[in-house]
Amino acid sequence: MSNEGRGPAVLEGVLERITYANEESGYTVARVDTGRGAGDLLTVVGALLGAQPGESLRMEGRWGSHPQYGKQFTVDNYTTLLPATIQGIRRYLGSGLVKGIGPVFADRITQHFGLDTLDVLEDAPARLIEVPGLGPKRTKKIMAAWEEQKAIKEVMVFLQGVGVSTSIAVRIYKKYGDASISVVKNQPYRLAADVWGIGFLTADKIAQSVGIPHDSPDRVKAGLQYALSQSSDQGHCFLPEERLIADAVKLLQVDTGLVIECLAELAEDPEGVVREVVPGPEGTPVTAVYLIPFHRAELSLAGQLRRLLGTEEDRMPAFRDVAWDKALAWLADRTGASLAPEQEEAVRLALTRKVAVLTGGPGCGKSFTVRSIVELARAKKAKVVLAAPTGRAAKRLAELTGAEASTVHRLLELKPGGDAAYDRDRPLDADLIVVDEASMLDLLLANKLVKAVAPGAHLLLVGDVDQLPSVGAGEVLGDLLAPGSPVPAVRLTRIFRQAQESGVVVNAHRINAGTPPQTQGLPDFFLFAEEETEDAARVAVDVAAHRIPAKFGLDPRRDVQVLAPMHRGPAGAGSLNGLLQQAITPARPDLPEKRFGGRVFRVGDKVTQIRNNYDKGANGVFNGTVGVVTALDTVEQRLTVRTDEDEEVPYDFDELDELAHAYAVTIHRSQGSEYPAVVIPVTMSAWMMLQRNLLYTAVTRARKLVVLVGSRRAIAQAVRTVSAGRRFTALAFRLTGRTLV
């Protein structure tokens, strides 16, 4: 049914499939069956987010024509109609809309109840048990799913009215249940704090829709906390007060006076913010404004480290008066190699001091030093625990030492909400704790870890301080190595002879020293010069998916990783993922897939988790965890991922916004992981991100092979540009135990 004029029109039809959907803007392209027969489908575009295939829709909008796709209908808004024909009902139920009903059961249910099917589901769902093959268990499941679907629909209709996308509406419903509409109407800024995926900007849009004034103090306070939260995403633990006020005025478009008043009120609120005078980056005092968790963590971490360093207890007393010459000779005999003087110093520090740091670049013997420390500690019957921030790094540490290693999250047994099973009251039973890839430890995780170290136990943090700092807030490794730090440290600088034969190692050190990498005449380091960004993207995909596997026999999914400086842009991780998926895991008629937002998930896809979720898996699944999709069930609406920690983790379809494809990842997200081969697009379109520590981090992710794709000018810019400014953190100052007078 349609009204084909130039003005407003109405179209009714069954949504057959969604071709494209943008979760952020809500823009959707779909195909609709208008019931005219001949299997003709019509293209509709516009505000259709939330509609599911199989639903009957009443769409209001206007007719138009697309030069490439022909006649189409642009939707301004829509309502869902219950289907009126048996065919419509069958399609509606079989669309995956209701968990537990796929096409087979939809067919059986409609055959049994005919046109009364929806009435039965609504008024007498217990009758489903009459359907052949539907036992009590599945019937119960379908009844619960139908009820939830109905309740979500009501919330959806309301939320769509205030401009909220489906995936976020589902999350709001999961968080607040029947109270959803009330919270959205009366306390919309709560959403930004409570619901993952809703930032201040989305909450602000909702607040405007429900009539909250522009200059409401609630809005200004939420905006201030959002500005601080944004700065923590950029790595800062606090913001100087003046900068925070300026950021908030720009964000909120309100008077400076109102922002200052609201900040003062937040500072009085025990759940608000903390203001404290600390040294700024230049050493001059600044008034720092912290979100409470970061202030607590910074105080706690500094206090715990000073306490560990100062305790008289020692869980490895055997090393106080050990004959080092004998011990090192025994070690050389056992490992087949002698330690260099700086490595010996690191071994002694780790075994005699309660907290120590070992840093250095690739090829300088960090791994061999760690292995030596672990061998000696074990020889004296010490209980050694090994951990790293990521699954891949933990696996590598286990291979290196021949002992079990776990992620820090798993070691601490983090619980839903982020609390650890091990802390100061229940410390880890360990005499020596070794944490590799410590440059990845952010303030909050480092605090949880150090809290769990028993008095008298030894903690050794190992990492490369020249790499990018942690994704989360803080610069913990850098702060522990800052001048005046009480934490003893050794920096390994000598490149060992066998490492000098590796182009990857030599070029990593060249980049770190500000010298361009050598890109000719090496068997393991190549440059494909491409000036244009689009050409670089095309070549990077070809190299990763075809050329490296053909020449070096590497698996493009398991062994090759594309590392991009940015997420956005033609050579960014987002765009490259689409191209790499087409090349490595293309669509096949026999391969199930699930479209979610602008992404399509298929069995075999390489994916990564993009938020910490403490409720998933045995001990949570954390930001940066990588895995492969091993199963996809359209009836149960569930997808299964096997993570790089060999854990099978299920995801309901409405949780798929926690996953992103990982054929290409940003260099920041690759920290702590090593890959046999890396492909790095370096183009001038990413010039804002081109910095020495970024390129250095990318190159040091490779074990055997690096391929740069892009322009020599962009590479030179990256090598030349030293990262601007340190993060706002006061940990180094707090470690000294001094106070500002």
Side-chain angles (χ1 to χ4, degrees):
M1 183 181 104
S2 66
N3 163 14
E4 299 194 19
R6 286 197 171 274
V10 172
L11 177 72
E12 286 184 10
V14 175
L15 182 60
E16 282 291 327
R17 65 175 179 270
I18 291 172
T19 313
Y20 168 80
N22 183 315
E23 284 291 322
E24 287 170 24
S25 67
Y27 181 79
T28 304
V29 179
R31 302 280 278 162
V32 168
D33 183 352
T34 55
R36 291 182 172 179
D40 282 350
L41 298 182
L42 183 78
T43 298
V44 296
V45 299
L48 271 174
L49 210 56
Q52 302 280 352
E55 286 186 321
S56 295
L57 307 178
R58 184 174 197 274
M59 296 158 282
E60 294 173 18
R62 57 201 178 281
W63 290 95
S65 185
H66 186 279
Q68 193 177 341
Y69 304 113
K71 186 175 165 188
Q72 61 183 33
F73 189 79
T74 301
V75 182
D76 294 325
N77 55 61
Y78 76 93
T79 50
T80 307
L81 306 171
L82 286 177
T85 65
I86 288 180
Q87 186 194 357
I89 293 168
R90 187 187 298 124
R91 201 181 287 145
Y92 176 67
L93 288 181
S95 67
L97 191 70
V98 181
K99 220 180 225 185
I101 305 182
V104 174
F105 281 114
D107 202 35
R108 285 190 201 168
I109 293 167
T110 47
Q111 269 183 18
H112 190 82
F113 295 116
L115 286 170
D116 296 332
T117 298
L118 296 180
D119 292 334
V120 169
L121 276 165
E122 188 66 42
D123 303 322
R127 283 188 61 198
L128 285 171
I129 204 155
E130 297 171 18
V131 177
L134 277 188
K137 203 171 168 187
R138 190 179 283 270
T139 300
K140 209 169 168 186
K141 204 172 178 182
I142 292 170
M143 284 161 67
W146 180 260
E147 280 305 310
E148 187 183 17
Q149 181 60 33
K150 219 166 58 183
I152 288 178
K153 264 281 183 278
E154 280 175 40
V155 175
M156 290 283 192
V157 169
F158 170 74
L159 291 174
Q160 277 171 346
V162 293
V164 176
S165 77
T166 322
S167 61
I168 286 179
V170 169
R171 249 185 265 130
I172 291 172
Y173 181 78
K174 277 190 169 175
K175 178 74 185 173
Y176 304 115
D178 295 339
S180 300
I181 292 173
S182 164
V183 171
V184 170
K185 273 185 179 167
N186 303 313
Q187 301 165 283
Y189 291 107
R190 257 182 76 184
L191 300 175
D194 292 353
V195 182
W196 181 75
I198 297 190
F200 171 80
L201 300 177
T202 306
D204 199 34
K205 217 185 279 176
I206 295 168
Q208 274 182 323
S209 305
V210 296
I212 287 180
H214 189 69
D215 58 357
S216 152
D218 282 348
R219 177 176 184 265
V220 177
K221 287 177 192 174
L224 281 160
Q225 288 177 307
Y226 170 72
L228 284 174
S229 168
Q230 283 290 94
S231 75
S232 74
D233 289 346
Q234 288 151 20
H236 300 301
C237 299
F238 68 81
L239 276 184
E241 186 175 45
E242 286 177 10
R243 178 162 156 183
L244 172 61
I245 291 167
D247 286 357
V249 167
K250 192 172 164 190
L251 169 75
L252 298 163
Q253 300 289 301
V254 293
D255 290 344
T256 306
L258 178 60
V259 171
I260 292 169
E261 274 173 41
C262 289
L263 180 56
E265 285 178 34
L266 268 179
E268 295 294 317
D269 181 346
E271 293 180 10
V273 298
V274 174
R275 280 198 295 199
E276 187 186 349
V277 178
V278 299
E282 309 303 318
T284 49
V286 296
T287 301
V289 185
Y290 286 85
L291 287 171
I292 284 168
F294 294 104
H295 185 257
R296 279 193 191 134
E298 205 173 77
L299 281 176
S300 165
L301 178 57
Q304 299 280 0
L305 285 168
R306 294 214 322 273
R307 230 182 331 269
L308 289 175
L309 283 164
T311 183
E312 286 299 309
E313 289 179 62
D314 194 345
R315 290 181 60 146
M316 293 202 296
F319 290 101
R320 281 183 184 169
D321 48 11
V322 78
W324 283 105
D325 291 352
K326 274 188 187 169
L328 294 169
W330 173 86
L331 185 66
D333 188 49
R334 189 164 168 82
T335 59
S338 296
L339 292 166
E342 54 188 13
Q343 291 177 307
E344 281 186 17
E345 189 194 345
V347 169
R348 288 184 193 189
L349 264 189
L351 297 172
T352 59
R353 301 292 295 271
K354 307 300 166 32
V355 183
V357 172
L358 172 62
T359 189
C364 293
K366 283 200 307 293
S367 297
F368 185 65
T369 309
V370 169
R371 189 179 143 201
S372 303
I373 290 163
V374 171
E375 288 276 3
L376 276 174
R378 282 220 198 100
K380 294 289 187 186
K381 303 286 185 282
K383 183 159 189 188
V384 181
V385 167
L386 306 169
T390 66
R392 276 177 182 250
K395 264 187 183 167
R396 202 171 62 243
L397 187 57
E399 285 161 13
L400 164 74
T401 56
E404 202 179 310
S406 71
T407 61
V408 177
H409 297 98
R410 224 171 253 273
L411 174 68
L412 300 176
E413 289 180 21
L414 290 183
K415 302 293 181 206
D419 291 328
Y422 293 94
D423 55 21
R424 222 176 140 185
D425 299 327
R426 188 195 173 199
L428 293 161
D429 179 19
D431 304 320
L432 170 65
I433 298 168
V434 180
V435 181
D436 199 7
E437 293 288 356
S439 61
M440 289 186 72
L441 286 178
D442 61 43
L443 175 67
L444 299 181
L445 187 58
N447 178 45
K448 288 188 171 88
L449 170 70
V450 173
K451 260 191 206 172
V453 179
H458 293 228
L459 173 65
L460 173 65
L461 298 173
V462 184
D464 184 347
V465 75
D466 293 321
Q467 283 182 31
L468 289 167
S470 56
V471 174
E475 201 160 5
V476 174
L477 193 63
D479 286 340
L480 297 188
L481 291 164
S485 166
V487 178
V490 171
R491 182 169 193 141
L492 304 178
T493 54
R494 181 185 142 199
I495 307 175
F496 284 88
R497 195 176 68 248
Q498 64 270 34
Q500 288 173 4
E501 293 163 15
S502 158
V504 175
V505 169
V506 169
N507 276 334
H509 286 277
R510 283 175 72 101
I511 290 164
N512 205 27
T515 309
Q518 185 186 333
T519 56
Q520 283 175 323
L522 294 171
D524 59 353
F525 202 104
F526 301 90
L527 167 66
F528 286 82
E530 295 290 346
E531 287 303 318
E532 296 300 322
T533 304
E534 283 80 2
D535 293 339
R538 185 177 44 74
V539 172
V541 169
D542 186 36
V543 165
H546 304 121
R547 296 196 203 185
I548 289 177
K551 186 172 169 63
F552 296 95
L554 296 174
D555 182 299
R557 196 182 279 111
R558 190 184 59 242
D559 302 327
V560 183
Q561 184 62 57
V562 177
L563 301 178
M566 296 167 65
H567 183 74
R568 293 196 171 146
S575 165
L576 289 170
N577 264 317
L579 297 170
L580 285 159
Q581 185 191 33
Q582 281 171 28
I584 296 169
T585 317
R588 294 203 321 256
D590 59 329
L591 196 64
E593 60 178 48
K594 170 62 183 171
R595 182 174 293 279
F596 187 92
R599 296 196 279 268
V600 178
F601 292 97
R602 299 186 183 116
V603 171
D605 269 342
K606 185 174 177 180
V607 292
T608 179
Q609 172 81 9
I610 56 173
R611 69 171 286 223
N612 287 346
N613 187 332
Y614 297 95
D615 299 317
K616 278 213 159 302
N619 290 108
V621 180
F622 299 92
N623 190 350
T625 300
V626 174
V628 172
V629 177
T630 53
L632 200 155
D633 187 331
T634 51
V635 174
E636 294 302 323
Q637 296 179 58
R638 186 172 292 138
L639 168 156
T640 307
V641 173
R642 187 171 192 80
T643 71
D644 54 13
E645 291 178 65
D646 294 328
E647 185 180 8
E648 296 274 350
V649 180
Y651 288 78
D652 287 345
F653 282 174
D654 60 18
E655 298 174 312
L656 292 184
D657 49 359
E658 296 190 14
L659 288 177
H661 290 105
Y663 300 100
V665 297
T666 61
I667 295 165
H668 279 87
R669 292 191 70 81
S670 73
Q671 285 171 262
S673 293
E674 256 192 12
Y675 316 93
V678 300
V679 178
I680 311 163
V682 188
T683 65
M684 288 308 289
S685 67
W687 69 272
M688 286 278 292
M689 298 295 291
L690 295 179
Q691 293 175 349
R692 187 180 300 170
N693 61 354
L694 190 86
L695 185 57
Y696 174 73
T697 300
V699 168
T700 55
R701 298 308 84 216
R703 272 204 300 277
K704 298 177 185 166
L705 176 68
V706 170
V707 181
L708 301 178
V709 183
S711 74
R712 286 191 171 85
R713 194 159 66 100
I715 293 163
Q717 157 120 345
V719 170
R720 204 171 46 238
T721 310
V722 178
S723 171
R726 286 188 45 123
R727 295 175 166 192
F728 290 120
T729 150
L731 179 62
F733 162 69
R734 296 186 198 282
L735 280 169
T736 64
R738 297 199 309 270
T739 52
L740 277 182
V741 179

